[in-house]
Amino acid sequence: VEEEDGEEQDRELGGAKGHGKGRIIGPPPGSSSRKTVAAFPLTSGLPSSKVLCITNLETEEEDRDEAAGHLARIRALMDRAGEYSHLSGYAAMVAGLLAIAGAIVSWKLRVNFNHPSQARDLAWTWGTVLLLAVAQAIGFTVAHARNRGEPAWSPLSQQVVIAMLPAAYMGAVFTGFALREGRLDLLPPVWMMAYGSSLMGLGLYAGARIKAAAVLFLLLGAASLFFWLDYGLRMMLVSFGAVHLVLGASIAWKPRR
């Protein structure tokens, strides 16, 4: 009797397991036992397992996407930390106006780069233009940094100066050589190419507009050297005058943030 009762209970449990629902199993007929057994499925069905796996995969993909977004934002912040944003469009425009003034003064004094005997007058005129341009650029840069609440002489500013120094040194050495040898006609193309190389170093930290201006100075310097060597004043007017005005207007209209 006990074996038959056990087989019948097994059949009841198996039926409950197959239908996926719990069933109340009472005592078998003829049995004196009053014990009631509740039968439920012992394992989860296969469809539930599939839904659980899909949910886990979707969660992992969302986590990966969120992590990728965080990394992109961190990378953007690091890139911005390495960008130099203290350039002043007004400083570039003033530099252009100073170059135009230097060309006009040279024309009024009837001095140009084709006569070695006029080296002293040219040195005074364009040396003064250079000093004024550097002084006002430093002044505008410091004022711009203070308006933003940032230090003007930061580690990034030091890297910018170091990047620009080699080209400036090259221009100074060639200037001394041209003055000693009486080759004043070489000065405008040398200045343009040296300044363009210096701007290219600045452009590594200050963006595409500075790089574009650097390329223009390099091309104008090469063209002056090979084709327009006798038109030094005009090339100075076009390069250091007009290019600076356009660059300054572009920066002032849409400053770098």
Side-chain angles (χ1 to χ4, degrees):
V1 173
E2 292 179 357
E3 291 178 357
E4 291 178 358
D5 291 344
E7 290 176 359
E8 185 175 355
Q9 290 180 2
D10 290 341
R11 285 195 300 271
E12 294 291 339
L13 289 175
K17 189 184 304 182
H19 288 84
K21 298 180 180 179
R23 299 179 59 185
I24 304 300
I25 303 174
S31 174
S32 60
S33 174
R34 296 182 179 179
K35 185 176 181 181
T36 302
V37 180
F40 294 95
L42 299 181
T43 58
S44 300
L46 185 58
S48 300
S49 300
K50 287 185 176 180
V51 173
L52 180 60
C53 293
I54 293 173
T55 304
N56 289 338
L57 289 175
E58 292 178 352
T59 304
E60 292 177 359
E61 290 178 357
E62 292 176 357
D63 292 341
R64 285 196 295 267
D65 293 340
E66 185 177 358
H70 289 320
L71 288 176
R73 285 191 289 271
I74 293 172
R75 189 178 295 109
L77 291 174
M78 292 179 65
D79 291 339
R80 289 192 62 182
E83 294 177 354
Y84 188 73
S85 59
H86 295 331
L87 293 178
S88 172
Y90 298 107
M93 287 189 285
V94 171
L97 293 175
L98 287 173
I100 294 173
I104 293 174
V105 169
S106 298
W107 180 73
K108 290 289 186 179
L109 295 177
R110 297 183 181 277
V111 296
N112 56 52
F113 294 93
N114 298 325
H115 301 288
S117 60
Q118 299 175 340
R120 184 181 295 274
D121 294 334
L122 285 173
W124 275 106
T125 301
W126 291 100
T128 302
V129 170
L130 174 64
L131 291 177
L132 291 176
V134 171
Q136 63 89 24
I138 294 175
F140 275 110
T141 300
V142 172
H144 190 271
R146 288 181 177 176
N147 289 337
R148 293 169 61 97
E150 300 175 358
W153 187 243
S154 62
L156 180 59
S157 301
Q158 298 174 20
Q159 294 178 13
V160 169
V161 171
I162 292 174
M164 297 178 68
L165 275 180
Y169 171 76
M170 180 190 70
V173 170
F174 274 101
T175 298
F177 174 79
L179 290 174
R180 191 191 70 177
E181 299 297 324
R183 292 300 308 272
L184 302 183
D185 55 340
L186 294 177
L187 289 178
V190 166
W191 289 347
M192 282 182 273
M193 289 188 288
Y195 187 68
S197 301
S198 184
L199 281 184
M200 189 61 71
L202 173 60
L204 296 176
Y205 302 93
R209 286 177 291 188
I210 303 299
K211 293 179 183 178
V215 171
L216 279 177
F217 272 99
L218 291 172
L219 293 177
L220 289 172
S224 176
L225 182 63
F226 285 100
F227 306 110
W228 302 314
L229 199 57
D230 295 332
Y231 301 96
L233 280 179
R234 297 179 183 178
M235 294 303 298
M236 293 289 290
L237 190 65
V238 171
S239 59
F240 288 96
V243 174
H244 269 140
L245 288 177
V246 174
L247 176 63
S250 174
I251 296 175
W253 174 64
K254 191 176 181 181
R256 189 178 182 85
R257 299 296 182 184

